[in-house]
């Protein structure tokens, strides 16, 4: 049984907590957030203790895993504190705000002999798993051009931290890091990146970027990152190879639509499409991590891979700033 | 001051490009147009087409141009556009020229100047501008419905057409030459801005031959808007449709998504091995040819013009150079002044 202490009781913290609630060999024992109410609310759901001070949590609670769901710039602090205390570490993506932070985190965990797992959950999303399986199987032959889309409106979090590009890295680092990891996992190392975007443009609550990646294999990928478009969260993937093409669009793949007549209390009667699964990708991801800890295995996402995804995102941001392609 | 021309008598110069059959069919359906005849340097093809469209075949372009016609439609191999356009202009015929207008900037400029000198209206065949969905998107942008435009994501992919399209001597380039210009034209039209620079990643990983078939282009417009274009012969033979044309327009107050050929239905028939998508939307080739006929009939300016064709072609030339040099290429540096 792995005892988990969660840091950060925001949206992703709640998602992780819900997954631990379903994992047989794990138990959420503590929730820490600098906002005492947020920590207490989430902890109460799972019979866990709540804290607003990390040191107090380490002093008062025995646990095996620290799960970090804070805003990006604070990942590194909690990785270090956790590793120093001999805890295994699960850290939300993106791994770090800088490569230096990623390196420090890897070193701290290696030195402490603890497992470090970066939660690149896309690898457990069934559509992205299926796409990689089909590609690896040779269903579309040798891949040539890849197009991905991800995003919707501007996210809102603690202190509007997503709008602080020095903290969040905008849509390029925070959002399409998912696609970067999947692309690197599927198509191998990247050679160079060229990107255009609104990064820190000063347009309030808008970020949008179009990123072109050339892989060493010759594959060309085009990534759309949007915190600027209405109409709900959209995800699409298309891979064209020399023997075929696969494409997927979440707006088409909704087996369930719930539509209600508008009433005064319900607000506008917009039908809401959804794609329910018997198990959530977050559950599968965290179950994998917990099993790896229990069985002494290495998790499927290595810290180096997570750092490579950050490197690609930071290179894209550099390209947006300089107007030139950036070699990796 | 000028009298209305009715009917507008039109000749077709070459059926090398498959769009010629669509344009010829359009002419037979437009009441104020008359398809007078066909000339083709491939006589067998020309005779077949003359028979199919119940019109006369002429053994040479010169013979066609001597007929009492007002205008021509040029659908030759890309590399021959220049010669045919100049011949037609010399003969005083207005011209609808298949895209890309030319395969290099010098040829494009010469064609435009020659037509101007002879008072010839030169239209570039960009049918996407005539799509009702695209026209509504344009109107929505113009009326400020999505605020100020920030970025555009465009794509135009098809199956590999083969034939002379993949012979660089006749096409001047692969998928980037074939498919970029239509979308580049839409981006110029919608932003009202000119292309300032182009970055491109280009490959041949679909066919593994000496022509390009897969690419991503990034355009920076002179008003700061950025845009990308995917021009690819990346649809496999088994794809249920010829390809697609899509545009995402992102503005400060919203976004517009256009999928130009989305008006189709699924067909599953035991008479074929796989399903297909059957298009039922407007025939935009017909709407474009109609606009050309109208311009000739009433002496109106043509749109999109030869200049529009050249501006779009600049994207292609810059893209090839960018892919070679691996840097963004300014359009002014390759001899195209966006302001002119």
């Amino acid at each position: 049984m792995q005892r988990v202490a969660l840091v950060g009781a925001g949206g992703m913290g709640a998602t992780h907590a819900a997954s631990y609630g379903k994992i047989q060999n794990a138990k959420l024992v503590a929730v820490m957030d600098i906002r005492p109410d947020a920590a207490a609310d989430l902890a109460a759901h799972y019979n866990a203790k709540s804290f607003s001070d990390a040191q107090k949590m380490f002093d008062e609670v025995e646990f095996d895993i620290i799960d970090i769901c804070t805003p990006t710039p604070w990942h590194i602090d909690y990785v270090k504190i956790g590793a120093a205390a001999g805890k295994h570490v699960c850290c939300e993506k993106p791994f770090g705000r800088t490569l230096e932070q990623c390196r420090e985190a890897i070193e701290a965990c290696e030195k402490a002999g603890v497992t470090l797992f970066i939660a690149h959950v896309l690898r457990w999303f069934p559509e992205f798993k299926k796409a990689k399986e089909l590609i690896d199987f040779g269903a579309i032959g040798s891949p040539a051009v890849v197009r991905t889309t991800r995003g919707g409106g501007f996210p809102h979090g603690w202190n509007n931290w997503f709008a602080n590009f020095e903290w969040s890295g905008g849509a390029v680092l925070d959002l399409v890091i998912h696609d970067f990891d999947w692309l690197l996992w599927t198509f191998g190392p990247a050679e160079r990146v060229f990107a255009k975007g609104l990064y820190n443009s000063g347009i309030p609550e808008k970020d949008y970027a179009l990123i072109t990646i050339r892989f060493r294999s010759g594959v060309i990928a085009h990534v759309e990152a949007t915190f600027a478009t209405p109409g709900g969260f959209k995800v699409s993937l298309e891979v064209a190879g020399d023997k075929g093409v696969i494409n997927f669009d979440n707006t088409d793949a909704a087996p369930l639509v719930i539509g209600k007549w508008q009433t005064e209390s319900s607000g506008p009667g917009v039908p809401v499409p959804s794609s329910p699964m018997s198990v959530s990708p977050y559950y599968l991801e965290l179950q994998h991590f917990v099993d790896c800890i229990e069985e002494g295995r290495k998790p499927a996402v290595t810290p180096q891979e997570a750092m490579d995804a950050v490197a690609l995102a930071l290179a894209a941001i550099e390209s947006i700033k300089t107007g030139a392609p950036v070699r990796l | 001051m000028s009298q209305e021309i009715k009917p507008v008598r039109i000749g077709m110069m070459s059926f090398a490009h498959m769009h010629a059959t669509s344009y010829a069919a359009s002419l037979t359906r437009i009441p104020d147009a008359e398809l007078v005849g066909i000339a083709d340097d491939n006589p067998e093809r020309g005779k077949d087409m003359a028979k199919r469209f119940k019109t006369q075949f002429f053994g040479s372009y010169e013979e066609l141009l001597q007929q009492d016609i007002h205008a021509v439609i040029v659908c030759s191999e890309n590399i021959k556009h220049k010669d045919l356009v100049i011949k037609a202009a010399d003969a005083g015929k207005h011209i609808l020229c298949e895209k890309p207008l030319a395969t290099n900037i010098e040829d494009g400029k010469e064609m435009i100047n020659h037509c101007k000198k002879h008072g010839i209206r030169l239209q570039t065949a960009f049918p996407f501008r005539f799509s009702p969905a695209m026209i509504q998107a344009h109107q929505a942008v113009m009326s400020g419905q999505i605020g100020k435009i920030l970025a555009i994501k465009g794509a135009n992919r098809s199956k590999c057409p083969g034939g002379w399209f993949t012979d660089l001597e006749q096409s001047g380039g692969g998928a980037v030459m074939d498919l970029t210009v239509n979308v580049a034209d839409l981006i110029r039209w919608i932003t009202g801005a000119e292309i300032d620079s182009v970055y491109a990643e280009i490959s041949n990983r679909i066919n593994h031959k000496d022509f390009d078939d897969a690419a991503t282009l990034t355009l920076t417009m002179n008003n700061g808007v950025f845009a990308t274009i995917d021009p690819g012969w990346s649809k496999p033979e088994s794809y249920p449709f010829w390809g697609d044309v899509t545009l995402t327009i992102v503005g400060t107050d919203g976004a517009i998504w256009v999928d130009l050929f989305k008006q189709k239905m699924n067909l599953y028939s035991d008479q074929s091995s796989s399903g297909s998508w059957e298009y039922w939307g407007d025939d935009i080739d017909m709407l474009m040819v109609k606009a050309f006929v109208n311009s000739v009939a009433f002496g109106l300016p043509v749109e999109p013009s030869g200049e529009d064709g050249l501006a779009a072609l600049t994207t292609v030339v810059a893209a090839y150079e960018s892919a070679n040099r691996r840097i963004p290429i300014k359009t002014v540096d390759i001899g195209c002044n966006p302001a002119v």
Side-chain angles (χ1 to χ4, degrees):
Chain A
M1 174 65 67
Q2 300 298 310
R3 295 159 299 181
V4 181
L6 179 70
V7 181
M12 197 45 65
T15 303
H16 280 205
S19 295
Y20 289 120
K22 290 179 184 144
I23 293 172
Q24 299 295 323
N25 49 349
K27 181 172 169 38
L28 187 64
V29 293
V31 177
M32 184 255 144
D33 195 300
I34 56 166
R35 303 162 300 170
D37 291 349
D41 284 353
L42 188 58
H45 271 94
Y46 302 96
N47 255 335
K49 289 188 173 170
S50 76
F51 298 88
S52 58
D53 178 79
Q55 195 52 54
K56 204 158 180 271
M57 178 173 79
F58 279 87
D59 290 344
E60 294 182 12
V61 184
E62 284 188 21
F63 60 95
D64 311 288
I65 290 170
I66 182 168
D67 184 323
I68 301 160
C69 291
T70 64
T72 308
W74 289 276
H75 288 176
I76 178 71
D77 296 340
Y78 292 102
V79 172
K80 280 180 171 171
I81 297 169
K87 314 297 183 190
H88 297 296
V89 180
C90 171
C91 176
E92 204 22 68
K93 47 55 54 181
F95 187 177
R97 184 60 186 83
T98 65
L99 292 179
E100 190 49 39
Q101 288 181 355
C102 297
R103 254 180 239 116
E104 279 181 40
I106 291 172
E107 274 170 29
C109 290
E110 275 174 0
K111 202 173 137 197
V114 298
T115 300
L116 171 61
F117 172 67
I118 313 303
H120 276 292
V121 71
L122 205 64
R123 299 205 194 182
W124 284 270
F125 268 66
E127 61 272 40
F128 281 86
K129 265 180 79 171
K130 183 77 180 178
K132 184 174 188 325
E133 276 167 25
L134 287 167
I135 292 161
D136 291 348
F137 176 73
I140 58 159
S142 174
V145 203
V146 187
R147 290 174 74 77
T148 68
T149 293
R150 183 172 302 276
F154 204 88
H156 294 105
W158 165 79
N159 253 349
N160 205 15
W161 73 275
F162 291 103
N164 182 333
F165 284 72
E166 291 307 312
W167 284 356
S168 71
V172 177
L173 179 64
D174 189 76
L175 180 68
V176 295
I177 192 90
H178 284 298
D179 301 290
F180 291 155
D181 175 64
W182 185 86
L183 290 165
L184 292 166
W185 183 43
T186 308
F187 303 107
E191 169 103 29
R192 57 183 179 269
V193 59
F194 184 80
K196 290 276 173 187
L198 302 180
Y199 188 90
N200 231 353
S201 63
I203 299 168
E205 308 235 319
K206 294 274 184 305
D207 192 19
Y208 186 83
L210 298 172
I211 303 144
T212 299
I213 305 157
R214 188 71 178 233
F215 290 82
R216 276 187 219 160
S217 64
V219 168
I220 298 168
H222 179 273
V223 175
E224 179 187 28
T226 174
F227 281 164
T229 45
F233 198 78
K234 290 187 172 71
V235 175
S236 73
L237 168 69
E238 179 191 85
V239 187
D242 60 8
K243 294 281 185 290
V245 61
I246 47 173
N247 59 52
F248 160 84
D249 186 326
N250 72 331
T251 56
D252 292 336
L256 174 67
V257 179
I258 296 178
K260 292 178 185 168
W261 292 111
Q262 180 169 358
T263 63
E264 272 184 33
S265 59
S266 76
V270 180
V272 178
S274 62
S275 175
M277 297 290 294
S278 61
V279 287
S280 108
Y282 296 94
Y283 164 83
L284 294 171
E285 165 196 54
L286 295 174
Q287 178 74 70
H288 167 78
F289 171 61
V290 169
D291 287 348
C292 284
I293 300 299
E294 297 240 300
E295 295 159 20
R297 289 188 285 127
K298 279 198 191 323
V301 184
T302 69
Q304 183 60 50
E305 288 174 325
M307 185 169 152
D308 291 344
V310 172
L312 185 49
L314 296 180
I317 291 169
E318 191 190 334
S319 176
I320 289 170
K321 287 178 175 171
T322 62
V326 174
R327 296 189 71 82
L328 287 138
Chain B
M1 81 183 182
S2 61
Q3 287 279 307
E4 180 188 344
I5 298 170
K6 197 174 172 180
V8 176
R9 288 187 297 275
I10 296 179
M12 304 258 329
M13 299 174 80
S14 178
F15 272 66
H17 198 294
M18 60 280 213
H19 290 166
T21 55
S22 169
Y23 302 157
S26 299
L27 289 175
T28 64
R29 288 164 56 205
I30 297 169
D32 296 339
E34 186 188 333
L35 174 56
V36 173
I38 292 169
D40 197 319
D41 52 23
N42 177 337
E44 208 172 313
R45 180 174 62 203
K47 281 175 192 163
D48 273 2
M49 289 297 161
K51 206 170 152 192
R52 175 168 162 189
F53 293 105
K54 300 187 175 66
T55 189
Q56 203 180 339
F57 174 73
F58 295 94
S60 71
Y61 294 121
E62 287 73 14
E63 205 185 335
L64 174 69
L65 292 170
Q66 282 162 14
Q67 305 305 309
D68 181 18
I69 55 175
H70 305 102
V72 293
I73 300 179
V74 173
C75 280
S76 65
E77 299 84 349
N78 298 343
I79 212 86
K80 294 178 186 164
H81 285 176
K82 180 184 147 190
D83 281 352
L84 297 191
V85 164
I86 285 179
K87 270 195 179 86
D90 284 340
K93 314 301 181 193
H94 299 296
I95 303 157
L96 171 61
C97 180
E98 182 54 35
K99 56 85 198 169
L101 181 69
T103 58
N104 62 66
I105 288 163
E106 298 69 39
D107 284 0
K109 280 183 177 167
E110 199 182 326
M111 290 156 76
I112 290 165
N113 291 335
H114 202 80
C115 288
K116 217 176 257 174
K117 206 169 76 189
H118 289 74
I120 296 301
R121 283 187 274 283
L122 172 62
Q123 180 174 333
T124 309
F126 286 144
F128 300 167
R129 277 208 205 187
F130 297 88
S131 151
M134 195 53 78
I135 290 167
Q136 281 200 21
H138 184 255
Q139 284 168 348
V141 168
M142 291 302 138
S143 62
Q145 286 191 47
I146 59 164
K148 184 173 163 280
I149 298 183
L150 301 170
I152 299 181
K153 182 183 77 156
N156 181 194
R157 289 84 57 84
S158 73
K159 299 178 183 186
C160 180
W164 63 263
F165 284 87
T166 58
D167 174 0
L168 298 176
E169 297 282 305
Q170 299 188 73
S171 61
V176 173
M177 181 64 77
D178 185 35
L179 297 172
T180 299
V181 286
N182 252 319
V183 184
D185 179 63
L186 291 179
I187 292 168
R188 287 183 61 247
W189 186 47
I190 281 169
T191 58
E194 292 298 341
I195 298 147
D196 180 66
S197 70
V198 179
Y199 179 84
E201 291 286 354
I202 300 178
S203 93
N204 63 346
R205 289 178 58 88
I206 303 284
N207 290 279
H208 309 282
K209 300 271 175 59
D210 66 345
F211 55 87
D212 55 281
D213 50 24
T216 299
L217 277 51
T218 307
L219 283 55
T220 306
M221 309 303 286
N222 62 2
N223 66 350
V225 169
F226 60 91
T228 58
I229 303 175
D230 173 342
W233 287 333
S234 53
K235 298 298 185 202
E237 276 310 307
S238 55
Y239 201 70
F241 199 61
W242 64 261
D244 58 16
V245 179
T246 56
L247 217 58
T248 301
I249 309 161
V250 181
T252 49
D253 297 339
I256 295 172
W257 290 269
V258 187
D259 186 342
L260 224 68
F261 292 94
K262 188 109 188 206
Q263 288 156 313
K264 54 206 176 197
M265 61 183 76
N266 302 323
L267 169 67
Y268 307 99
S269 163
D270 288 340
Q271 293 171 52
S272 83
S273 57
S274 62
S276 64
W277 294 336
E278 301 294 319
Y279 178 72
W280 50 263
D282 272 305
D283 179 347
I284 58 174
D285 285 352
M286 218 269 287
L287 297 173
M288 178 190 73
V289 172
K290 211 174 190 171
F292 175 66
V293 168
N294 229 32
S295 295
V296 175
F298 294 98
L300 303 168
V302 286
E303 199 184 315
S305 64
E307 283 84 350
D308 290 321
L310 178 62
L313 173 66
T314 304
T315 316
V316 175
V317 176
Y320 283 123
E321 181 147 349
S322 169
N324 280 336
R325 297 175 52 192
R326 293 183 183 171
I327 51 166
I329 298 294
K330 288 250 180 201
T331 53
V332 285
D333 293 341
I334 54 168
C336 198
N337 187 347
V340 175

